[in-house]
């Protein structure tokens, strides 16, 4: 949350069904109930079911952690009135209904009305309310993202079905930094925090392989290292295939155009695939250098130097542009034992680093010279 739950704020936690939203909040509320009074309202499971899960998660429970199975908003509001909790969880907003409307729970009208009534209570009584919202098939919560503008903060819980790792990302936050990222592992005892995500994402990284480049990216307040992989191969169709997983496809197309123009590479008859390992999504422009280097490395079939990490934005005329938080990125690279960082010249820190070689570049041709000569 970029510094905790703000009093009186309303938070929407979105995610696919089964991703672990209830688990995450149950565990979080258990911790918070040591210092605040928490009311957890479940409209999806019975009290017994939640209790069984809580036991499995090792939650002993205390008088400050209240659980209620209910979907009628009127009863819920009465309960809030009488128990005076500081934090309320609504699991999920799609199961709630108010008698004031005719439509069924889960309909846009119901979801919107219930959410605004809860928001009013949160502001009136200075309660923090966390609403769970299932992402529906078209990718929006409760229909057309009806809630995002009502609430103070929007978090998304995402993860790959094939891996145990889950990421929680803040999309909007009126009271803290956005783009924060939390990383958890789903175990048989619930979610466990991953303290060193960089090490996790690099765990299967092999040095000396063409087409791979380590990027130091910045997600919210923390830097993480991720591996960018490219596969470049002769195409048998026109136009050739270009596909990016974990980054914007248009940005990839733009970088390919920059490479053709300023590096004189003949990529027009090449299929180019790009993947960010570990299911991470990078939306910041500092990814550019890593994308270009992994593509050139695959194209030339030459691996980059081991223990090399990069960051930097590339402009349309081939210039390397400054990015935010250069120092933090360098420190994370050092922490993970990297020996060389290629980075924008303007990001070069004044202080000298002795435990890492910083290669400052201002033009994309310098980058290739530093890497492939
Ligand atoms: P859940 O929190 O019920 O998901 P959501 O509320 O987002 O629908 O979690 C569902 C999945 O998490 C379920 O498939 C089983 C798995 N899980 C574990 O692997 N370990 C656990 O300790 C718990 C409680 C759940
Ligand atoms: Mg659930």
């Amino acid at each position: 949350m970029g510094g905790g739950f703000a009093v009186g704020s309303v938070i929407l936690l979105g995610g696919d069904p089964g991703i672990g939203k209830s688990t995450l909040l149950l565990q979080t509320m258990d911790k918070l109930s040591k210092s605040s009074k928490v009311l957890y309202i479940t409209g999806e499971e019975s009290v017994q079911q939640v209790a069984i899960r809580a036991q499995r998660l090792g939650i002993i429970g205390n008088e400050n952690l209240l659980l209620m199975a209910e979907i009628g908003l009127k009863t819920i509001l009465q309960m809030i009135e009488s128990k005076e909790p500081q934090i309320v969880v609504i699991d999920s907003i799609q199961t709630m209904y108010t008698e004031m409307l005719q439509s069924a729970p889960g309909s846009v009208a119901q979801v919107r009305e219930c959410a605004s009534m809860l928001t009013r209570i949160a502001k009136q009584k200075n309660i923090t309310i966390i609403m769970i919202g299932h992402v529906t098939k078209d990718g929006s919560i409760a229909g057309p993202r009806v809630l995002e503008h009502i609430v103070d903060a929007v978090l998304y819980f995402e993860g790959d079905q094939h891996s145990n790792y889950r990421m929680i990302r803040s999309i909007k936050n009126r009271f803290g930094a956005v783009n924060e990222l939390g990383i958890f592992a789903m175990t048989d005892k619930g979610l466990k925090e991953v303290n060193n995500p960089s090490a996790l994402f690099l765990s299967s990284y092999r040095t000396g392989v063409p087409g791979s480049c380590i990027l130091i990216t910045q997600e919210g307040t923390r830097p993480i290292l991720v591996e960018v992989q490219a596969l470049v191969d002769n195409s048998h169709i026109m136009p050739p295939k270009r596909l990016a997983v974990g980054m914007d496809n248009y940005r990839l197309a733009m970088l390919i155009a920059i490479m053709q123009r300023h590096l004189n590479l003949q990529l027009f008859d090449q299929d180019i695939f790009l993947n960010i390992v570990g299911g991470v999504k990078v939306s910041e422009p500092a990814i550019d250098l890593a994308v270009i280097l992994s593509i050139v490395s695959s194209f030339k079939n030459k691996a980059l130097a081991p223990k090399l990490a990069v960051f930097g934005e590339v402009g349309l005329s081939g210039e390397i542009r400054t990015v935010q938080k250069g120092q933090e990125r360098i420190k994370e690279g050092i922490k993970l034992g990297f020996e060389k960082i290629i980075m924008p010249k303007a990001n070069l820190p004044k202080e000298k680093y002795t435990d890492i070689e910083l290669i400052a570049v201002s033009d994309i041709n310098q980058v290739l010279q530093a890497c492939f000569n």
Side-chain angles (χ1 to χ4, degrees), residues 141-184:
I141 294 180
R145 301 196 162 224
V146 279
L147 297 181
E148 289 192 356
H149 68 283
I150 302 178
V151 298
D152 298 307
V154 180
L155 309 176
Y156 279 95
F157 203 32
E158 355 171 285
D160 195 344
Q161 286 187 342
H162 309 290
S163 98
N164 290 334
Y165 294 102
R166 304 278 185 271
M167 279 171 244
I168 185 165
R169 192 184 287 279
S170 74
I171 303 294
K172 160 181 172 178
N173 193 351
R174 285 192 185 136
F175 303 111
V178 283
N179 292 325
E180 287 287 356
L181 181 70
I183 300 168
F184 300 89

Coordinates of all heavy atoms in Angstrom, one line a residue, residues 141-184:
I141 N -13.5 -5.7 -13.6 CA -14.2 -6.1 -12.4 C -15.6 -5.7 -12.4 O -16.0 -4.6 -12.8 CB -13.5 -5.4 -11.2 CG1 -12.1 -5.9 -11.1 CG2 -14.3 -5.7 -9.9 CD1 -11.3 -5.3 -9.9
A142 N -16.5 -6.7 -12.1 CA -18.0 -6.4 -12.0 C -18.5 -5.7 -13.2 O -19.0 -4.6 -13.1 CB -18.3 -5.7 -10.8
G143 N -18.2 -6.3 -14.4 CA -18.7 -5.6 -15.6 C -17.6 -4.5 -15.9 O -16.4 -4.7 -15.6
P144 N -18.1 -3.4 -16.5 CA -17.1 -2.5 -17.0 C -16.4 -1.6 -16.0 O -16.6 -0.4 -15.9 CB -18.0 -1.6 -17.9 CG -19.4 -1.7 -17.4 CD -19.5 -3.0 -16.7
R145 N -15.5 -2.2 -15.3 CA -14.7 -1.5 -14.3 C -15.4 -0.5 -13.5 O -14.9 0.6 -13.3 CB -13.5 -0.9 -15.0 CG -12.7 -1.8 -15.8 CD -11.4 -1.2 -16.2 NE -10.5 -2.4 -16.5 CZ -9.2 -2.5 -16.1 NH1 -8.7 -1.5 -15.4 NH2 -8.5 -3.5 -16.4
V146 N -16.6 -0.9 -13.1 CA -17.5 0.1 -12.5 C -17.0 0.7 -11.2 O -17.5 1.7 -10.7 CB -18.9 -0.5 -12.2 CG1 -19.7 -0.5 -13.5 CG2 -18.8 -1.9 -11.7
L147 N -16.0 0.0 -10.6 CA -15.7 0.5 -9.2 C -14.4 1.3 -9.1 O -14.2 2.0 -8.2 CB -15.5 -0.8 -8.3 CG -16.7 -1.6 -8.2 CD1 -16.5 -2.8 -7.2 CD2 -17.8 -0.7 -7.6
E148 N -13.6 1.2 -10.2 CA -12.3 1.8 -10.0 C -12.3 3.3 -9.7 O -11.4 3.8 -8.9 CB -11.4 1.6 -11.3 CG -11.0 0.1 -11.4 CD -10.0 -0.1 -12.5 OE1 -9.6 0.9 -13.2 OE2 -9.5 -1.2 -12.6
H149 N -13.3 4.0 -10.2 CA -13.3 5.5 -9.9 C -13.9 5.7 -8.5 O -13.8 6.8 -8.0 CB -14.0 6.2 -11.0 CG -15.5 5.9 -11.0 ND1 -16.0 4.7 -11.6 CD2 -16.6 6.5 -10.6 CE1 -17.3 4.7 -11.5 NE2 -17.7 5.8 -10.9
I150 N -14.7 4.8 -8.0 CA -15.4 5.0 -6.7 C -14.4 4.9 -5.5 O -14.4 5.6 -4.6 CB -16.5 4.0 -6.5 CG1 -17.5 4.1 -7.6 CG2 -17.2 4.2 -5.1 CD1 -18.7 3.1 -7.5
V151 N -13.4 4.0 -5.7 CA -12.6 3.6 -4.5 C -11.3 4.5 -4.5 O -11.0 5.2 -5.5 CB -12.2 2.1 -4.6 CG1 -13.4 1.2 -4.5 CG2 -11.4 1.8 -5.9
D152 N -10.6 4.4 -3.4 CA -9.3 5.2 -3.3 C -8.1 4.5 -3.8 O -7.2 5.1 -4.2 CB -9.1 5.5 -1.8 CG -10.2 6.3 -1.2 OD1 -10.5 7.3 -1.7 OD2 -10.8 5.9 -0.1
A153 N -8.2 3.2 -3.8 CA -7.0 2.4 -4.3 C -7.5 1.2 -5.0 O -8.5 0.6 -4.6 CB -6.1 2.1 -3.1
V154 N -6.7 0.8 -6.0 CA -7.1 -0.4 -6.7 C -5.8 -1.3 -6.8 O -4.8 -0.9 -7.2 CB -7.5 -0.1 -8.2 CG1 -7.8 -1.4 -8.9 CG2 -8.7 0.8 -8.2
L155 N -6.0 -2.5 -6.3 CA -4.9 -3.5 -6.3 C -5.3 -4.7 -7.2 O -6.5 -5.1 -7.1 CB -4.6 -4.0 -4.9 CG -4.4 -3.0 -3.8 CD1 -4.2 -3.8 -2.5 CD2 -3.1 -2.2 -4.1
Y156 N -4.4 -5.2 -7.9 CA -4.7 -6.4 -8.7 C -3.8 -7.5 -8.2 O -2.6 -7.3 -8.0 CB -4.5 -6.2 -10.2 CG -5.7 -5.6 -10.8 CD1 -5.8 -4.2 -11.0 CD2 -6.8 -6.3 -11.2 CE1 -6.9 -3.6 -11.5 CE2 -7.9 -5.7 -11.7 CZ -8.0 -4.4 -11.9 OH -9.1 -3.8 -12.4
F157 N -4.4 -8.7 -8.0 CA -3.6 -9.9 -7.6 C -3.5 -10.7 -8.8 O -4.5 -11.2 -9.4 CB -4.4 -10.6 -6.5 CG -3.5 -11.4 -5.6 CD1 -2.2 -11.1 -5.4 CD2 -4.0 -12.6 -5.0 CE1 -1.4 -11.9 -4.6 CE2 -3.2 -13.4 -4.2 CZ -1.9 -13.0 -4.0
E158 N -2.3 -11.0 -9.3 CA -2.2 -11.8 -10.5 C -1.2 -12.9 -10.4 O -0.4 -12.8 -9.4 CB -1.7 -10.9 -11.7 CG -1.6 -9.4 -11.4 CD -1.0 -8.6 -12.5 OE1 0.2 -8.6 -12.7 OE2 -1.8 -7.9 -13.2
G159 N -1.2 -13.7 -11.3 CA -0.2 -14.8 -11.2 C -0.4 -15.8 -12.4 O -1.5 -15.8 -13.0
D160 N 0.5 -16.6 -12.6 CA 0.5 -17.5 -13.7 C -0.2 -18.8 -13.1 O 0.2 -19.2 -12.0 CB 1.9 -17.8 -14.1 CG 2.0 -18.5 -15.4 OD1 1.0 -19.1 -15.8 OD2 3.1 -18.6 -15.9
Q161 N -1.1 -19.4 -13.8 CA -1.7 -20.6 -13.3 C -0.7 -21.7 -13.1 O -0.9 -22.7 -12.4 CB -2.8 -21.1 -14.2 CG -4.0 -20.2 -14.1 CD -5.2 -20.8 -14.9 OE1 -4.9 -21.6 -15.8 NE2 -6.4 -20.3 -14.6
H162 N 0.4 -21.6 -13.9 CA 1.4 -22.7 -13.9 C 2.5 -22.5 -12.9 O 3.4 -23.3 -12.8 CB 1.9 -22.9 -15.3 CG 0.8 -23.1 -16.3 ND1 0.0 -24.2 -16.3 CD2 0.4 -22.2 -17.2 CE1 -0.9 -24.0 -17.3 NE2 -0.7 -22.8 -17.8
S163 N 2.5 -21.4 -12.1 CA 3.5 -21.2 -11.2 C 2.9 -20.9 -9.8 O 1.7 -20.5 -9.7 CB 4.5 -20.1 -11.6 OG 4.2 -18.9 -11.0
N164 N 3.7 -21.0 -8.8 CA 3.2 -20.7 -7.4 C 3.3 -19.3 -7.1 O 2.9 -18.9 -6.0 CB 4.0 -21.5 -6.4 CG 3.8 -23.0 -6.5 OD1 2.7 -23.4 -6.9 ND2 4.7 -23.8 -6.1
Y165 N 3.9 -18.5 -8.0 CA 4.1 -17.1 -7.6 C 3.0 -16.2 -8.0 O 2.3 -16.4 -9.0 CB 5.4 -16.6 -8.3 CG 6.6 -17.3 -7.7 CD1 7.2 -18.4 -8.3 CD2 6.9 -17.1 -6.3 CE1 8.2 -19.1 -7.7 CE2 7.9 -17.8 -5.7 CZ 8.5 -18.9 -6.4 OH 9.5 -19.6 -5.8
R166 N 2.7 -15.3 -7.1 CA 1.6 -14.3 -7.2 C 2.1 -12.9 -7.0 O 3.0 -12.7 -6.2 CB 0.6 -14.6 -6.1 CG 0.0 -16.0 -6.0 CD -1.1 -16.2 -7.0 NE -1.7 -17.5 -6.9 CZ -1.2 -18.6 -7.5 NH1 -0.2 -18.5 -8.3 NH2 -1.8 -19.8 -7.4
M167 N 1.6 -12.0 -7.8 CA 2.1 -10.6 -7.7 C 0.9 -9.8 -7.4 O -0.2 -9.9 -8.0 CB 2.7 -10.2 -9.0 CG 4.1 -10.6 -9.1 SD 4.7 -10.3 -10.7 CE 5.0 -11.9 -11.3
I168 N 1.1 -8.9 -6.5 CA 0.0 -7.9 -6.2 C 0.6 -6.5 -6.6 O 1.7 -6.2 -6.3 CB -0.4 -7.9 -4.7 CG1 -1.6 -7.0 -4.5 CG2 0.6 -7.6 -3.7 CD1 -2.4 -7.3 -3.3
R169 N -0.2 -5.8 -7.4 CA 0.2 -4.6 -8.0 C -0.8 -3.5 -7.7 O -2.0 -3.7 -7.8 CB 0.2 -4.9 -9.5 CG 0.9 -4.0 -10.4 CD 0.6 -4.5 -11.8 NE 1.4 -5.7 -12.2 CZ 2.7 -5.6 -12.5 NH1 3.3 -4.5 -12.6 NH2 3.3 -6.8 -12.8
S170 N -0.3 -2.3 -7.4 CA -1.3 -1.3 -7.2 C -1.4 -0.4 -8.4 O -0.4 0.0 -9.0 CB -0.9 -0.4 -6.0 OG 0.2 0.4 -6.3
I171 N -2.6 -0.2 -8.9 CA -2.9 0.5 -10.1 C -3.2 1.9 -9.8 O -2.9 2.8 -10.6 CB -4.1 -0.2 -10.8 CG1 -3.9 -1.7 -11.0 CG2 -4.5 0.5 -12.1 CD1 -2.8 -2.0 -12.0
K172 N -3.9 2.1 -8.7 CA -4.3 3.5 -8.4 C -4.2 3.6 -6.9 O -4.5 2.6 -6.2 CB -5.8 3.6 -8.8 CG -6.5 4.8 -8.1 CD -8.0 4.8 -8.5 CE -8.7 5.9 -7.7 NZ -10.1 6.0 -8.1
N173 N -3.7 4.7 -6.4 CA -3.6 4.9 -4.9 C -3.7 6.4 -4.6 O -2.7 7.1 -4.9 CB -2.4 4.2 -4.3 CG -2.4 4.1 -2.8 OD1 -3.3 4.7 -2.2 ND2 -1.5 3.4 -2.3
R174 N -4.8 6.8 -4.0 CA -4.9 8.2 -3.6 C -4.0 8.6 -2.5 O -3.7 9.7 -2.3 CB -6.3 8.5 -3.3 CG -7.2 8.6 -4.5 CD -8.6 9.2 -4.1 NE -9.5 9.2 -5.3 CZ -10.7 8.8 -5.2 NH1 -11.3 8.5 -4.1 NH2 -11.5 8.8 -6.3
F175 N -3.6 7.6 -1.7 CA -2.8 7.9 -0.5 C -1.4 7.3 -0.4 O -0.8 7.3 0.6 CB -3.6 7.4 0.8 CG -5.0 7.9 0.8 CD1 -6.1 7.1 0.6 CD2 -5.2 9.3 1.1 CE1 -7.4 7.6 0.7 CE2 -6.5 9.8 1.1 CZ -7.6 9.0 0.9
G176 N -0.9 6.9 -1.5 CA 0.4 6.3 -1.5 C 1.0 6.2 -2.9 O 0.3 6.6 -3.9
A177 N 2.2 5.6 -3.1 CA 2.8 5.5 -4.4 C 2.0 4.4 -5.2 O 1.5 3.4 -4.6 CB 4.2 5.0 -4.2
V178 N 1.9 4.6 -6.5 CA 1.3 3.6 -7.3 C 2.4 2.7 -7.9 O 3.6 3.0 -7.7 CB 0.5 4.2 -8.5 CG1 -0.8 4.6 -8.0 CG2 1.2 5.2 -9.2
N179 N 2.0 1.7 -8.7 CA 3.0 0.8 -9.3 C 3.8 0.0 -8.3 O 4.8 -0.5 -8.6 CB 3.9 1.4 -10.3 CG 3.1 1.9 -11.5 OD1 2.2 1.2 -11.9 ND2 3.5 3.0 -12.0
E180 N 3.3 0.0 -7.0 CA 4.0 -0.9 -6.0 C 3.8 -2.3 -6.4 O 2.7 -2.7 -7.0 CB 3.4 -0.7 -4.6 CG 3.8 0.6 -4.0 CD 5.3 0.7 -3.6 OE1 5.9 -0.4 -3.7 OE2 5.7 1.7 -3.1
L181 N 4.7 -3.2 -6.1 CA 4.6 -4.6 -6.4 C 5.0 -5.4 -5.2 O 6.0 -5.2 -4.6 CB 5.6 -4.9 -7.6 CG 5.6 -6.3 -8.2 CD1 4.3 -6.6 -8.9 CD2 6.8 -6.4 -9.1
G182 N 4.1 -6.4 -4.9 CA 4.4 -7.3 -3.8 C 4.5 -8.7 -4.4 O 3.6 -9.0 -5.3
I183 N 5.4 -9.5 -4.0 CA 5.5 -10.8 -4.6 C 5.4 -11.9 -3.5 O 6.0 -11.8 -2.5 CB 6.8 -10.9 -5.4 CG1 6.8 -9.9 -6.5 CG2 7.0 -12.3 -6.0 CD1 8.1 -9.7 -7.2
F184 N 4.5 -12.9 -3.8 CA 4.3 -13.9 -2.8 C 4.4 -15.3 -3.5 O 4.2 -15.4 -4.7 CB 2.9 -13.8 -2.3 CG 2.6 -12.5 -1.6 CD1 2.1 -11.4 -2.3 CD2 2.8 -12.4 -0.2 CE1 1.9 -10.2 -1.7 CE2 2.6 -11.1 0.4 CZ 2.2 -10.1 -0.3

